[in-house]
Amino acid sequence: MPTATIKYHKKEWAVESGMTVRAAIEKAGLDPYAVLALRDKRLINDQTIIEPGDEIRLVNVISGG
Amino acid sequence: MKCTKCGGVAVIGMPQHRLNLCAEHFAEWVPSMVQRTIEKYAMFTPEERILVAVSGGKDSLSLWEILVQLGYQTEGLYINLGITHENYSDNSQKHAEAFAASHNLRLQVVNVRETYGQSIPDLAHARRRGSRACSACGTVKRHIMNRVAYEGGFAAIATGHQVDDEAATLMQNVLRWQSGYLLRQAPVLPSTHPKLARKVKPLCHLYERETAAYAFVRGIDFIDQECPFSVNAKTIFYKGILNQLERRSPGTKMQFYLSFLRAREEGLFREEQPEAELATCRRCGQPTTAEDLCAFCRLWEAAS
């Protein structure tokens, strides 16, 4: 299965394409309510299907306040 | 996922509203929610001048952008706390300044070390409470916001607190049944003294991920560094718990907060003791519930 790349903070890992962004977030043990996903610096919803070669950046949105 | 309004590609789903929106409709929806919140709680009017407390983060910069877009008279206030870890304070100041410059807005900067002689980490260290810099930080920020608002003749101080902040604070206060704090947690804190401006939270009906999404959609360049003192902060822990509840039952955070506000309005919480009359601080002249020095001045006296 072709892969895509997820980046979060300084970490980076490969995921299988064909899954949703939300599935990738949950698979990484992250809270889907605590991150947003960007592809090519544009916001994408978490039901987006990950395409081969995608580079998806996850951004933490929960701060200590 | 399609936009509920136009059928285009949605950038965000908001199950608690049963609403998915594309970038264009989301960028319209957020300011309309803020306007409704301002009107619902009678926060301020277009004739009044508002001091927006900005940290360089997503919430406060989004708030400032929205208020300007809605036509309110605003000025920004950035407080440089002197947190040097990974240049946190200087980086956040740069983001606040860049935002103000690009939107042609006036921003006042108060540097705590330059103005008062010590940074927040120095102050916390002097009190030998290094891990509890947050309480000193809160006291210092409140003092400076009140002073700047009074000197500048602002009608209100607006902060970027959203539902997640409010629900996390509420949870902490409820777990300890801190009725005094519960009574003072509100979208609007009216002025109780000519030197204390009204405090308002126009984002209090938006989730934190919505204010972040708005910043991305509008191209607002905010600091994504976390304050080094807030790593492992209790607030983040409580936000995580609330998000777990939200995943099981969308809208839980909002209901928790709004039901609390209704209960508060209905008089469920009351002061344990009658509110003390405000005295004047001997050192700085600001109003205080203490008899001699206010909390801010006691902090500096203890550190000197």
Side-chain angles (χ1 to χ4, degrees):
Chain A
M1 178 71 80
T3 60
T5 308
I6 306 275
K7 293 180 178 179
Y8 178 62
H9 290 309
K10 289 169 185 169
K11 294 178 200 155
E12 188 177 316
W13 65 93
V15 293
E16 287 176 2
S17 56
M19 70 165 81
T20 64
V21 169
R22 182 165 178 136
I25 292 169
E26 287 177 339
K27 202 174 171 188
L30 297 171
D31 175 357
Y33 276 83
V35 292
L36 287 172
L38 302 171
R39 185 171 55 194
D40 298 329
K41 296 185 180 173
R42 296 176 89 95
L43 192 61
I44 53 172
N45 74 64
D46 63 5
Q47 295 306 312
T48 304
I49 303 290
I50 299 175
E51 303 287 342
D54 271 356
E55 275 194 12
I56 292 168
R57 187 178 144 227
L58 302 179
V59 188
N60 176 46
V61 297
I62 300 298
S63 61
Chain B
M1 189 191 288
K2 289 184 175 175
C3 174
T4 312
K5 294 198 175 181
C6 70
V9 178
V11 293
I12 189 165
M14 295 175 284
Q16 79 279 17
H17 296 299
R18 295 184 182 170
L19 191 63
N20 305 321
L21 292 175
C22 66
E24 190 186 327
H25 283 115
F26 183 65
E28 287 174 11
W29 179 82
V30 170
S32 71
M33 280 290 283
V34 174
Q35 179 62 31
R36 273 158 56 188
T37 308
I38 292 168
E39 288 169 8
K40 178 180 169 70
Y41 298 107
M43 289 184 170
F44 45 80
T45 66
E47 288 72 39
E48 292 180 309
R49 290 174 61 243
I50 311 304
L51 183 67
V52 186
V54 292
S55 64
K58 63 189 189 308
D59 302 317
S60 58
L61 292 185
S62 292
L63 170 64
W64 200 5
E65 197 259 10
I66 293 164
L67 294 183
V68 171
Q69 201 188 126
L70 293 171
Y72 291 104
Q73 300 178 52
T74 62
E75 255 183 59
L77 168 65
Y78 175 80
I79 301 171
N80 187 312
L81 305 164
I83 299 171
T84 52
H85 182 77
E86 294 184 350
N87 283 326
Y88 175 74
S89 287
D90 289 347
N91 284 345
S92 6
Q93 182 174 335
K94 278 179 196 158
H95 280 81
E97 286 175 335
F99 176 88
S102 65
H103 291 74
N104 204 20
L105 298 166
R106 187 173 144 78
L107 175 73
Q108 288 194 54
V109 175
V110 175
N111 185 304
V112 174
R113 188 200 301 270
E114 286 170 12
T115 312
Y116 301 102
Q118 288 192 62
S119 67
I120 292 293
D122 292 342
L123 196 56
H125 184 72
R127 296 169 76 217
R128 294 181 194 154
R129 296 168 79 179
S131 61
R132 297 179 69 183
C134 303
S135 71
C137 181
T139 303
V140 169
K141 284 198 287 197
R142 276 191 295 278
H143 174 91
I144 294 172
M145 286 192 284
N146 282 326
R147 177 175 68 74
V148 172
Y150 174 68
E151 288 171 0
F154 291 92
I157 299 166
T159 55
H161 294 90
Q162 17 66 9
V163 172
D164 295 60
D165 289 329
E166 293 301 298
T169 301
L170 177 58
M171 192 176 215
Q172 292 183 66
N173 290 337
V174 164
L175 288 173
R176 293 178 192 82
W177 284 117
Q178 289 177 301
S179 56
Y181 287 152
L182 289 167
L183 199 63
R184 281 185 287 277
Q185 187 181 353
V188 178
L189 282 180
S191 167
T192 52
H193 186 281
K195 286 187 174 179
L196 297 176
R198 189 186 327 145
K199 313 279 191 321
V200 296
K201 300 169 183 173
L203 303 184
C204 72
H205 280 205
L206 290 171
Y207 280 8
E208 189 161 17
R209 69 193 296 269
E210 292 158 9
T211 62
Y214 181 82
F216 283 117
V217 164
R218 296 291 294 165
I220 296 169
D221 187 17
F222 62 88
I223 184 161
D224 59 2
Q225 253 175 287
E226 189 58 43
C227 172
F229 288 104
S230 80
V231 175
N232 298 325
K234 271 188 197 160
T235 312
I236 292 178
F237 176 69
Y238 287 119
K239 284 181 177 182
I241 292 172
L242 287 160
N243 276 340
Q244 282 183 39
L245 295 169
E246 188 75 20
R247 283 165 73 177
R248 291 289 294 267
S249 179
T252 300
K253 280 186 292 196
M254 185 73 97
Q255 279 309 318
F256 179 46
Y257 179 56
L258 294 183
S259 306
F260 155 71
L261 291 182
R262 270 196 298 277
R264 183 184 172 278
E265 202 59 34
E266 287 164 7
L268 192 67
F269 308 102
R270 58 184 172 80
E271 288 283 1
E272 285 160 5
Q273 292 166 339
E275 212 162 301
E277 210 162 289
L278 293 174
T280 301
C281 173
R282 167 173 59 81
R283 191 166 173 263
C284 72
Q286 279 204 10
T288 174
T289 49
E291 283 179 9
D292 185 29
L293 292 177
C294 68
F296 173 82
C297 290
R298 287 201 303 274
L299 198 58
W300 292 98
E301 292 257 316
S304 60

